[in-house]
Amino acid sequence: VLSLQIAQAIEPDGVYERGLQRVGLKLSSEHNVDVMQGITVSEVMRPVEVIDPTADLKTLRDLLHDRHRRAMLTSDASGCVTGIVTLSDLQDAYDREDHGANLCVGDIVINEVFTTHPTDSLWVAVRRMGQTGVGRLPGIDRGNGKVVGIINRHDVVRAYNSAIANRIRDLHYAEQIRLHHLTGAHIFELNVTKHAP
């Protein structure tokens, strides 16, 4: 602790940042707000698939295949989530000696479901995924408790990449405005296609 305090007193910017400054690069002192905090769950949530707990495993298999899903929810008559069943749960059932012949969805469903809310920031949902070790979270309406969608890790990565691309575009545009203000220069961007004259 003492050596850290002495190092910070001598070189407040840190060794790595000081090295960048020596070659003419200065990092901004402003702390950028995490892009994940500016996105809500509802912006990346996809429609959710619900299956009746009494359905047989063949029906579950066909629905997962036809709708390109890796998980489905079960719900009660009022629309509240009662469980989640994943492709790996189905595979485990088929790996049994009887190949799950006498099982229905309700027999293999996981009843402990971790959820999120559409109004939560994406960062809250990501943190919940990390804390619970799950790969997907159903979105539950705060008002009536009904499921309105679902997010998974792929949705999170897609939203993050999109937010980063938007941030870079905004910074690029801001630099163009700054350059025009300082020098009067104008920047024009033209898309040149392959084999263009």
Side-chain angles (χ1 to χ4, degrees):
V1 172
L2 183 61
S3 64
L4 180 61
Q5 290 178 341
I6 293 172
Q8 286 178 339
I10 295 172
E11 193 60 76
D13 290 333
V15 175
Y16 298 110
E17 194 167 334
R18 183 63 180 158
L20 292 173
Q21 289 174 0
R22 285 184 183 143
V23 295
L25 297 174
K26 173 69 175 163
L27 297 179
S28 172
S29 59
E30 298 175 358
H31 298 288
N32 291 325
V33 178
D34 188 345
V35 293
M36 303 293 264
Q37 294 176 358
I39 306 171
T40 62
V41 168
S42 63
E43 293 178 65
V44 298
M45 203 164 46
R46 63 178 62 203
V48 67
E49 301 287 345
V50 179
I51 189 168
D52 192 310
T54 61
D56 59 34
L57 298 189
K58 182 181 182 304
T59 303
L60 173 63
R61 182 196 66 195
D62 292 343
L63 284 171
L64 289 173
H65 178 269
D66 295 343
R67 299 182 184 176
H68 306 288
R69 296 287 188 255
R70 297 185 60 84
M72 296 186 85
L73 299 176
T74 58
S75 64
D76 58 21
S78 66
C80 295
V81 174
T82 58
I84 187 168
V85 60
T86 66
L87 190 58
S88 60
D89 298 326
L90 179 63
Q91 185 61 51
D92 290 343
Y94 277 127
D95 287 344
R96 293 171 35 143
E97 286 184 21
D98 62 354
H99 303 294
N102 299 318
L103 297 177
C104 66
V105 171
D107 296 323
I108 65 170
V109 72
I110 299 169
N111 296 115
E112 185 181 14
V113 183
F114 300 100
T115 62
T116 185
H117 300 287
T119 55
D120 287 344
S121 74
L122 195 55
W123 172 244
V124 171
V126 169
R127 189 173 59 206
R128 189 164 297 137
M129 282 183 184
Q131 290 169 342
T132 58
V134 298
R136 56 191 56 81
L137 293 173
I140 306 298
D141 189 286
R142 288 186 193 274
N144 57 26
K146 293 183 179 180
V147 60
V148 292
I150 193 166
I151 64 167
N152 59 30
R153 291 188 182 116
H154 176 74
D155 299 323
V156 170
V157 171
R158 182 169 42 84
Y160 180 78
N161 288 339
S162 176
I164 290 295
N166 290 340
R167 172 77 59 89
I168 290 171
R169 188 190 65 237
D170 291 345
L171 289 174
H172 181 63
Y173 183 65
E175 284 300 314
Q176 288 183 358
I177 293 173
R178 183 170 167 266
L179 182 63
H180 174 68
H181 180 71
L182 293 175
T183 66
H186 293 276
I187 296 176
F188 298 94
E189 292 188 11
L190 301 173
N191 291 325
V192 181
T193 59
K194 189 175 182 179
H195 306 302

